[in-house]
Amino acid sequence: MKAAASKTPRRNVVKKAFSSSQKDPVGVYCRVRPVQDQECCIEVISSTTVQVHPPDGYRTIRNGEYKEVQYSFKEVFGPNVSQKWVFDTVARPLVEDLIHGKNGLLFTYGVTGSGKTHTMTGSPGDGGLLPRCLDMIFNSIGLFQAKRYVFRLDEKNGVDVQCEVDALLERQKREALPVPKTPSGNRRQIDPEIADMINVQDNCKVEDVDEDNVYSVFVSYIEIYNNYIYDLLDEAPFDPIKPKPPQSKILREDQNHNMYVAGCTEVEVKSTEEAFEVFWRGQKKRRIANTQLNRESSRSHSVFLIKLAQAPLDADGDNVLQDRDLITLSQLSLVDLAGSERTNRTKAEGSRLREAGRCCVWLVGSLQVCPSCLEQKLSACPLTGMARASPVWLDLVS
């Protein structure tokens, strides 16, 4: 008679993103969303580890035992962690790098309803990573900003410096132009909802700012939808009789082999309020749709790009040195990805199903338009397959 096989003892399987013996090429964080009135399958084990408990009916059985898996991250944020704590840990180092002339990339990833947009944008009275990044930037360079139009971005992903006289003439020329009319109306005051999001009041700033330089901030906002790139800040004249669909943009490579979106609107901004108002104007144009998981689910990836130009002053401290080789242009890319859930959970059909099917392709496109953040290939990263010096991947789970 054949002896009965002994039962395999229960053990937890630990999956590590990276080897601890090498420097992490990508910072991967995990934020757990609070869950109410339902079973939570995510348990925070430590500051760097979560354990997944498959809910009833979905448990994987191996040798008669339930399989519970642990995942390790650079840091895990529990359900009660504040937006400020997430910002200080995840985004603040990237803003410091931006001020010091380095590029950065931060993107949120997770299923619909896991809190990606809340983490990135925030809610009234509780600003997210984006407004806090803007606030820290302008708190740091507020006293050292160049006058408007001293720095000029060219059409090939570069930057030039104008003398004060030329900048003054351009300011006068721009002020004389009529404001284009759009479906969203003319310039308006920031509504209270937006004002609450950017009213951070943390006074967070970089201490060691080079006071011999002057700075200018430029922002742009693009959307990647169905494999096409659209400029969310494009203010093309609106024809109510024959409205034209938005024109897609082309991805190009500059002389330094960085990818950029040709013809994308880049707006020079001088304050947190002005920058966030530009962002909010583009946010209204994002494509959303109703799914079973979220009434207003984003159907596209969005990339909000913050460029910081800086150049030294002359010996008298009055004028910017007009030497292009002395200009430093750094960029921080904030990416809000579309929901990554399986289609059988959203009950998507027709065009919604085709949108979901292209999600992985959109992910590659989103990362391509964050040019300088993908200079190095990564072959040993099992989670992303791509990285650079200082990108951050923020996983959202619910």
Side-chain angles (χ1 to χ4, degrees):
M1 183 177 179
K2 188 175 181 180
S6 61
K7 184 176 292 186
T8 303
R10 177 177 176 174
R11 64 186 181 89
N12 292 327
V13 180
V14 179
K15 294 187 178 181
K16 293 187 177 181
F18 309 104
S19 172
S20 59
S21 62
Q22 61 181 1
K23 183 179 179 181
D24 291 352
V26 180
V28 184
Y29 299 81
C30 177
R31 188 179 192 185
V32 181
R33 176 184 174 177
V35 178
Q36 298 178 351
D37 301 328
Q38 56 180 305
E39 180 184 1
C40 181
C41 62
I42 303 294
E43 180 185 358
V44 178
I45 302 298
S46 68
S47 62
T48 59
T49 307
V50 297
Q51 181 164 305
V52 179
H53 304 282
D56 293 335
Y58 293 89
R59 293 182 173 177
T60 303
I61 299 178
R62 175 182 293 179
N63 296 328
E65 294 292 332
Y66 295 132
K67 179 184 177 183
E68 295 183 344
V69 184
Q70 291 185 2
Y71 294 92
S72 296
F73 299 87
K74 189 170 185 179
E75 186 162 338
V76 174
F77 305 107
N80 299 321
V81 170
S82 66
Q83 297 273 56
K84 183 181 185 304
W85 184 275
V86 176
F87 168 78
D88 288 340
T89 306
V90 176
R92 182 168 182 162
L94 296 181
V95 176
E96 293 174 348
D97 286 345
L98 179 75
I99 301 295
H100 296 144
K102 300 178 182 179
N103 301 309
L105 163 65
L106 189 154
F107 55 99
T108 56
Y109 177 81
V111 300
T112 294
S114 60
K116 299 184 301 299
T117 301
H118 171 74
T119 298
M120 184 64 75
T121 307
S123 57
D126 194 16
L129 298 179
L130 191 149
R132 291 174 186 271
C133 286
L134 293 173
D135 189 65
M136 182 176 178
I137 291 170
F138 287 104
N139 285 343
S140 303
I141 66 171
L143 299 177
F144 314 109
Q145 289 195 71
K147 293 182 179 180
R148 204 178 293 268
Y149 306 126
V150 169
F151 289 97
R152 293 189 62 185
L153 300 182
D154 59 29
E155 297 180 354
K156 297 182 179 179
N157 206 35
V159 61
D160 291 310
V161 174
Q162 292 191 120
C163 66
E164 292 286 348
V165 175
D166 290 340
L168 175 61
L169 292 175
E170 184 164 353
R171 285 196 297 272
Q172 294 174 345
K173 180 180 178 181
R174 297 290 184 96
E175 291 172 358
L177 293 175
V179 179
K181 293 183 178 181
T182 64
S184 58
N186 295 337
R187 294 176 182 173
R188 55 178 177 80
Q189 297 293 326
I190 300 178
D191 61 56
E193 181 181 5
I194 302 177
D196 287 341
M197 289 185 186
I198 60 179
N199 188 22
V200 178
Q201 296 184 344
D202 287 340
N203 295 321
C204 182
K205 64 179 181 179
V206 179
E207 298 296 339
D208 53 341
V209 175
D210 191 343
E211 299 181 7
D212 295 326
N213 286 359
V214 290
Y215 304 81
S216 285
V217 177
F218 300 83
V219 297
S220 56
Y221 197 18
I222 62 172
E223 175 185 56
I224 300 178
Y225 175 77
N226 277 350
N227 300 341
Y228 291 96
I229 303 173
Y230 297 99
D231 182 3
L232 292 175
L233 303 181
D234 187 12
E235 295 289 356
F238 178 69
D239 186 350
I241 300 176
K242 293 183 178 180
K244 296 181 179 179
Q247 297 296 314
S248 61
K249 300 297 181 178
I250 301 176
L251 199 62
R252 296 190 183 278
E253 185 177 6
D254 64 16
Q255 60 181 2
N256 296 320
H257 306 292
N258 295 320
M259 306 302 295
Y260 70 99
V261 180
C264 181
T265 304
E266 294 179 300
V267 182
E268 185 176 4
V269 290
K270 294 299 181 183
S271 67
T272 302
E273 293 78 11
E274 184 182 2
F276 198 78
E277 186 176 10
V278 171
F279 161 78
W280 200 254
R281 189 171 71 238
Q283 187 77 351
K284 298 294 185 181
K285 297 181 180 180
R286 286 196 66 186
R287 289 167 173 81
I288 61 175
N290 182 11
T291 71
Q292 186 161 312
L293 294 182
N294 194 332
R295 185 172 60 86
E296 293 185 349
S297 173
S298 173
R299 310 315 304 156
S300 64
H301 298 323
S302 70
V303 185
F304 188 73
L305 300 106
I306 305 171
K307 288 185 178 181
L308 179 66
Q310 55 181 297
L313 295 168
D314 59 18
D316 297 328
D318 297 327
N319 299 305
V320 184
L321 295 178
Q322 297 184 47
D323 185 347
R324 190 165 186 172
D325 294 335
L326 298 178
I327 304 174
T328 300
L329 184 64
S330 51
Q331 176 175 296
L332 175 60
S333 304
L334 303 176
V335 185
D336 185 9
L337 298 176
S340 62
E341 66 280 345
R342 296 182 179 180
T343 55
N344 60 354
R345 296 187 65 209
T346 61
K347 306 302 181 184
E349 297 178 350
S351 61
R352 299 284 87 82
L353 182 60
R354 290 192 292 272
E355 289 170 354
R358 294 190 173 108
C359 189
C360 290
V361 179
W362 298 348
L363 174 58
V364 176
S366 293
L367 298 177
Q368 280 184 317
V369 298
C370 305
S372 301
C373 293
L374 296 176
E375 292 173 354
Q376 299 177 357
K377 299 284 186 179
L378 177 65
S379 59
C381 175
L383 290 182
T384 64
M386 56 184 68
R388 126 111 179 132
S390 59
V392 171
W393 177 300
L394 182 57
D395 245 332
L396 284 302
V397 296
S398 59

